[in-house]
Amino acid sequence: ERGWNGTRPHLMRFVRSRGVRVMDVQLLNSPYWNCHFWACDRVHVRGVRVVSPLDQVNTDGWDPDSSTNVLIEDSSYEGGDDCVSIKSGWDCFGAALGRPAANITLRNLACKGPRAGIAIGSELSGGVHDVLVERIRFVDAGRMAHLKTGRTRGGAVSSVRFANLTAVGRMDTGIVLDATFKPNSKCGRGWAPRPTHMSDISFVDIDASGAAISGYSFDLGARHKEPVRSYVSAMELFLKDVHLPRGTRGSWRCGYVTSLLAKRVSPKPRGDECGVFTRRRGLNQSLRLGNVRRRNRTKAGRLRRNEAGR
């Protein structure tokens, strides 16, 4: 049967809820998203095992959607789509709600499946900021980080940190930005937002040297004929101690990147592949992202103390 919005039904869905706890359970064979948190605040997931068929798409493990103060930890996902996908609304409806996904921490997760990366988007029209992703292990996961948007998304993504990630097995690519996701037909032709702006995105201590990549190691380039900046107005990246194998198709595609600081990165980006390197902006970015990490750890610790006191 179809769910509330014409899709297959979710396994668990929380709407405008506060103080949500999902702990020590198994979620098996969901027909669609497993755990969807829409417009929620203070969400804590721990000790959850999600298993879905590897050939079934749209079976995301966790989807914090327009939600704030979210901690997902010590859990595992095996399935056919995103391990976690952070969202904030699809085109005009996400912009009208104006509720970003913010203050989100993902840590100590195991992700396995042909698309089982950590995704941001593609529904991100309300914005995404202050996200910490750390200590994640990927097995045959397609990609580690998947940034998704489209020409009609708009929105902004900022202050996002990926740290201490490892990957083994087969992968399509290591880190990818895909800006080709389709528009929401219900918004009409008059919906024409500014292109998505991505800033303060960092990758630190990433090791996928034991993986095999069939595509590009870093796929941050355009896949369409229209001008790049009509899709993504800016993309600012900081990479340090990031080690991926060379992809079968190549190492880097950088069409969307506007600012890049790379330190001890392999395969090493070349200037002819990735354009101008803006060192000063990258250093400032690194300092700001360190502050994001400290803030999110403080919030996660406060959430856990509150749980212990209940």
Side-chain angles (χ1 to χ4, degrees):
E1 294 183 3
R2 294 289 174 175
W4 68 279
N5 60 351
T7 64
R8 300 186 302 274
H10 303 69
L11 194 57
M12 301 179 71
R13 188 167 191 263
F14 301 87
V15 177
R16 295 188 183 276
S17 303
R18 300 182 65 185
V20 177
R21 294 182 293 172
V22 181
M23 297 183 178
D24 303 320
V25 297
Q26 281 195 101
L27 305 178
L28 304 177
N29 299 323
S30 175
Y32 200 66
W33 297 348
N34 280 271
C35 278
H36 184 200
F37 307 101
W38 186 80
C40 295
D41 182 53
R42 294 188 292 112
V43 174
H44 191 186
V45 175
R46 185 179 65 205
V48 176
R49 180 172 179 253
V50 176
V51 179
S52 294
L54 293 176
D55 60 353
Q56 180 65 63
V57 297
N58 302 127
T59 53
D60 302 358
W62 297 274
D63 292 86
D65 186 351
S66 299
S67 293
T68 53
N69 302 311
V70 177
L71 172 60
I72 301 174
E73 61 178 347
D74 303 330
S75 297
S76 66
Y77 171 81
E78 181 176 343
D81 219 301
D82 300 316
C83 183
V84 182
S85 184
I86 300 171
K87 306 174 182 291
S88 63
W90 188 6
D91 288 5
C92 59
F93 299 101
L97 180 65
R99 181 164 180 161
N103 301 329
I104 295 174
T105 297
L106 315 175
R107 67 187 181 200
N108 298 331
L109 303 180
C111 303
K112 180 179 180 179
R115 301 172 186 85
I118 303 298
I120 295 179
S122 73
E123 302 90 336
L124 47 70
S125 302
V128 177
H129 64 83
D130 293 307
V131 175
L132 173 62
V133 181
E134 63 177 353
R135 302 195 296 275
I136 314 294
R137 176 175 171 80
F138 302 94
V139 178
D140 295 330
R143 76 276 299 173
M144 290 186 288
H146 194 183
L147 307 177
K148 309 177 186 181
T149 186
R151 193 168 190 171
T152 58
R153 290 297 187 270
V157 179
S158 64
S159 300
V160 177
R161 181 182 178 93
F162 293 85
N164 298 302
L165 311 184
T166 60
V168 296
R170 294 167 297 177
M171 301 176 67
D172 298 326
T173 188
I175 298 169
V176 59
L177 168 59
D178 185 353
T180 62
F181 284 82
K182 65 181 181 180
N184 189 332
S185 60
K186 296 180 180 180
C187 291
R189 295 183 179 181
W191 171 247
R194 294 180 179 179
T196 304
H197 186 98
M198 297 188 176
S199 60
D200 298 350
I201 314 294
S202 77
F203 295 88
V204 179
D205 295 324
I206 314 296
D207 182 12
S209 55
I213 294 178
S214 60
Y216 288 89
S217 307
F218 301 86
D219 193 355
L220 308 169
R223 307 179 186 183
H224 40 73
K225 297 180 180 179
E226 294 87 351
V228 168
R229 296 301 158 226
S230 65
Y231 287 77
V232 178
S233 63
M235 186 180 191
E236 302 172 3
L237 287 176
F238 171 70
L239 297 94
K240 179 180 178 183
D241 295 315
V242 178
H243 304 288
L244 277 61
R246 180 178 176 84
T248 301
R249 296 188 63 189
S251 300
W252 282 82
R253 289 205 307 179
C254 301
Y256 293 118
V257 178
T258 54
S259 176
L260 171 65
L261 175 66
K263 184 176 182 180
R264 297 191 295 275
V265 172
S266 60
K268 185 177 180 180
R270 302 195 310 267
D272 60 337
E273 291 177 312
C274 300
V276 177
F277 292 68
T278 310
R279 181 171 299 275
R280 180 173 296 176
R281 291 176 68 183
L283 289 173
N284 290 338
Q285 179 186 91
S286 175
L287 293 173
R288 289 196 297 271
L289 287 162
N291 292 334
V292 169
R293 181 172 186 164
R294 286 190 291 273
R295 287 200 303 271
N296 279 17
R297 279 183 170 173
T298 298
K299 289 165 184 171
R302 187 180 302 123
L303 181 57
R304 296 191 74 168
R305 287 194 297 272
N306 289 342
E307 295 291 345
R310 292 187 177 186

